[in-house]
Amino acid sequence: MSVITRNGPAGALTDDTLPRKKTALDAVLNFFRRQPLGTAGLAIMLVMFLAAAFANVLTPFDPEENDFQAMMQAPSWTHLLGTDQMGRDIFSRLVYGARTALLVGFSAAFAGGLIGLVLGVASAYFGGWFDLVFQRILDVLMAFPLIILALAVVSVFGTGVFNVILAITIPLIPRCGRVVRASALAVREIPYVDAARALGFGHTRIVLRHMVPNVVGPFLILLSAFVGQAILAEASLSYLGLGVQEPVPAWGLMLQGGAEEYATTAPWIAIFPGLAIVMAVLGISLFGDALRDAIDPKLRDR
Amino acid sequence: MVVRLGLWAAGLGLVAAIAAGPANAQTPKKGGTLVFMIPADSPPSFDGHRETTFATVHATAPFYSVLIRVPPDNPASTTEFVCDLCTEMPKPTDDGKTYTFKIRPDVKWHDGSKLTARDVAASWNRIVFPPSGVTSARVTYYAMVDKIEAPDDNTVVFRLKRATTAFLPALADPFTYIYKKEILDKDQKWYEKNIMGSGPFKFGSYEIGQSIKGVRNPDYYHKGQPYLDAIEGIFADKQSVRVEAIRGDRAAMEFRGMPPSARDQLVKEAGKDVVVQDSDWNCGNIVTYNHKKKPFDDVRVRRALSLAVDHWGGAPALSKIAIVRTPGGIVFPGSPLAATKAELQQIAGFGPDIEKSRAEAKRLLKEAGQENLKFELTNRNVDQPYKFVGTWLIGEWKKIGVNVEQKVVPTGPWFAAMRGGTFDVVVDANCQSVVNPVLDTAKYLPKKVYPESYGDYDDPKSIELYNAMTQETDPAKQRAAMRAYEKHTLDTEAHGIVTPYWYRILVIRSYVKGWKISPSHYLNQDLANVWLDK
């Protein structure tokens, strides 16, 4: 039996002959090189984050201040993207609107995702009647399209940022729960789960310490998709008048207020918030797809 | 000679043409069908006595007669009333407490039977003194009525408890349809689901959520009218559908009102094929504070919020995007009892120097310990003009450092919040039909005397001032009493804020003639004088 030792005799493996261990920077650079569309998506997301974080520095006007001397002005050097029907600067409202989009998008996605993750793994772990009942509940919830369920929730709890987050979180839970359960069913059969049980660990510890970390891969991919869906749902609810309310800057709300009445006379009121929604959802989708490709070993080397 | 004859003939032709032009323009043509849009999905019922919505009156007014009404040829008048079923407007007797109406002898119901004073009295008794189980929406309007009698088939007598200038305008309410006594005697609720009147059009058909149709009543008592062969009202609650229908000439008009952007769009695209009629509207949004919630029980806070709102600066700008226009007090600006601009300027928020007003507002908030005031503004989920007005108000209050979150709710929860007192501040509305300031301003009384006053305050002084105003019959003294009541309501106690009055804009296909706009979308809806120049 031969033993490979470091700094051993000739013919043995050494540090020089071993493949260099990849650093996080390598992984990131590799991602940029292999996933140009995903990189573009990431850039869009970064722009959104920066806009949201530094909105008070980037914006020349108060996004909520009515200026009746500047109603429906076309884009100019003073108002880069024009003004809306209340004379508010559209650029400033778009930048601040990124805060609303990200707040709602990430809060709903994380809340819905995390609850779905825990419930999905628990469902797979416990099996039996719990799994049966839980999956039927998910079936019922998933029978409704996301926006319909969100509309129902908002009509019960009312409008406002918190309620919109809640309204979008609830439909996301079964979507996450179902996918995570499928992954967790495979994990449940791996012997270390039995080993943990044999060692007398509690259910909570087994689920949270031993099973959840092993389904995080698909969960992260799901999460990126959820952020895009949540942003779109927030914009849809606001457009329908059921999301955040005036004068809070929100992209869907900006479309609702201006697009319908001034589409022909002041098209910039509708165009720029529409573009912002498209770019945000596109960016997150591209990044999510690329992330999936990068993580999935089957797709990673293609 | 030939040339001279030719010139003479040409000149004669020109004269004839000039003479004939205006005559043709004035002479109504008979025939045709008026198709109009009704901005609702359907009326809750056909019973005008019970309902308060325009959806009912737009759909059913052409089928009914009323006792008196605003003049169809001058519906903008706020003081003039004419007979519909009566023969002449009566002079009150008994110190203004008795009104005796003679009823036309030539009126037939659509089933061919004769309409008498007993039908009129039965209908009015149902409105003023509704039997058990019958809902009459306007009972409070007629608190001054003591008794209604029909001593014979041609006479109806109204006996009042006290003389008041509010009586005749209240009598001209467009919802006060005259129903057949024989039907009412059998079933008081028959008219909720059925139509049988004596108006210019006979009921044709009704498809729920789709349309209502009527055909010309050949026995109509106003001779020569109606000019139209038929009418068709199409229900469409979406504004875009109504605008498209008018643009494509699938409908000639709607009667409620549309925002300036829709007007501009239609005028731009249809040009001379449409005409615009507009008018101040006897409707307005009012800000109501919940006096049961702190800090709105503090008059300093209420006054500060009133002082922050720039009516003179905001109204012209808002009028470009919303159906509002004229700043006013508690009385409709077109009424003789309304405040002049100089009088309004004595009221919080209407002052000529807004910066001075806002400085005073900040001082009051500081004095009340509410420098960082935050509250929720409940509003109705209706764009025009509720949400525009709400957003404008929030911007105005922000200028004195007050942070407001708008809570927009559907109509049902909006009413529920107001009636249940579960709001901080609400964008309420006061929308009336006939301009009748004495009754219209009851909205500002305490809840215990006017149930639809949602501020939930007790204010004996307000009741005292209101009563003094209503009991005054001398116009000049009544006007002065109204000013005192108004000043107390909007300034001294600052119970609310009257935002700019709504502005009614109608775009009508230019072939529609004879119909004139009024200060209310409830008025002048029997369509007897409408004709089509096609």
Side-chain angles (χ1 to χ4, degrees), chain A residues 62 68 71 245-246 261-262, chain B residues 261 317 321 391 398 406 408:
Chain A
D62 180 342
F68 290 142
M71 294 163 80
Q245 296 298 334
E246 290 276 10
E261 289 199 38
Y262 305 106
Chain B
S261 59
I321 52 173
T391 304
K398 196 174 179 184
Q406 187 167 206
V408 177

Side-chain angles (χ1 to χ4, degrees), chain A residues 99-248:
Chain A
R99 278 189 180 177
T100 309
L102 289 176
L103 175 68
V104 174
F106 277 88
S107 302
F110 272 99
L114 284 175
I115 297 169
L117 174 71
V118 173
L119 290 176
V121 173
S123 181
Y125 172 74
F126 289 113
W129 66 267
F130 176 79
D131 187 40
L132 192 72
V133 171
F134 182 64
Q135 291 309 311
R136 297 299 76 74
I137 293 170
L138 294 195
D139 286 343
V140 171
L141 290 173
M142 288 185 72
F144 295 97
L146 189 150
I147 192 68
I148 300 294
L149 198 54
L151 277 171
V153 174
V154 120
S155 62
V156 172
F157 293 104
T159 57
V161 174
F162 178 76
N163 287 342
V164 167
I165 292 172
L166 184 69
I168 300 170
T169 297
I170 290 173
L172 290 180
I173 293 171
R175 283 160 176 78
C176 182
R178 178 58 56 85
V179 174
V180 164
R181 174 181 170 272
S183 301
L185 281 175
V187 172
R188 188 182 68 174
E189 303 305 322
I190 298 174
Y192 68 74
V193 175
D194 287 335
R197 207 179 278 135
L199 284 169
F201 293 160
H203 295 316
T204 310
R205 177 168 176 160
I206 294 170
V207 167
L208 295 180
R209 289 281 301 275
H210 299 283
M211 291 185 72
V212 165
N214 285 286
V215 293
V216 158
F219 170 72
L220 283 178
I221 294 161
L222 211 58
L223 206 59
S224 67
F226 281 174
V227 173
Q229 285 181 32
I231 289 176
L232 204 55
E234 183 276 318
S236 305
L237 288 173
S238 296
Y239 176 76
L240 294 169
L242 296 168
V244 295
Q245 296 298 334
E246 290 276 10
V248 176

Side-chain angles (χ1 to χ4, degrees), chain A residues 36 63 66 71-72 86 96 116 132 150 160 180 189 199 217 274 280 284 287 298:
Chain A
N66 304 326
M71 294 163 80
M72 287 184 277
M86 302 296 281
Y96 272 94
L132 192 72
V180 164
E189 303 305 322
L199 284 169
I284 291 166
F287 177 69
K298 292 175 192 163

Side-chain angles (χ1 to χ4, degrees), chain B residues 406-428:
Chain B
Q406 187 167 206
K407 182 185 177 188
V408 177
V409 293
T411 299
W414 176 68
F415 271 117
M418 290 193 294
R419 287 170 181 160
T422 56
F423 64 91
D424 294 339
V425 180
V426 67
V427 178
D428 190 0

Side-chain angles (χ1 to χ4, degrees), chain B residues 3-19:
Chain B
V3 172
R4 192 182 297 171
L5 267 177
L7 283 172
W8 183 84
L12 191 68
L14 187 63
V15 169
I18 291 168

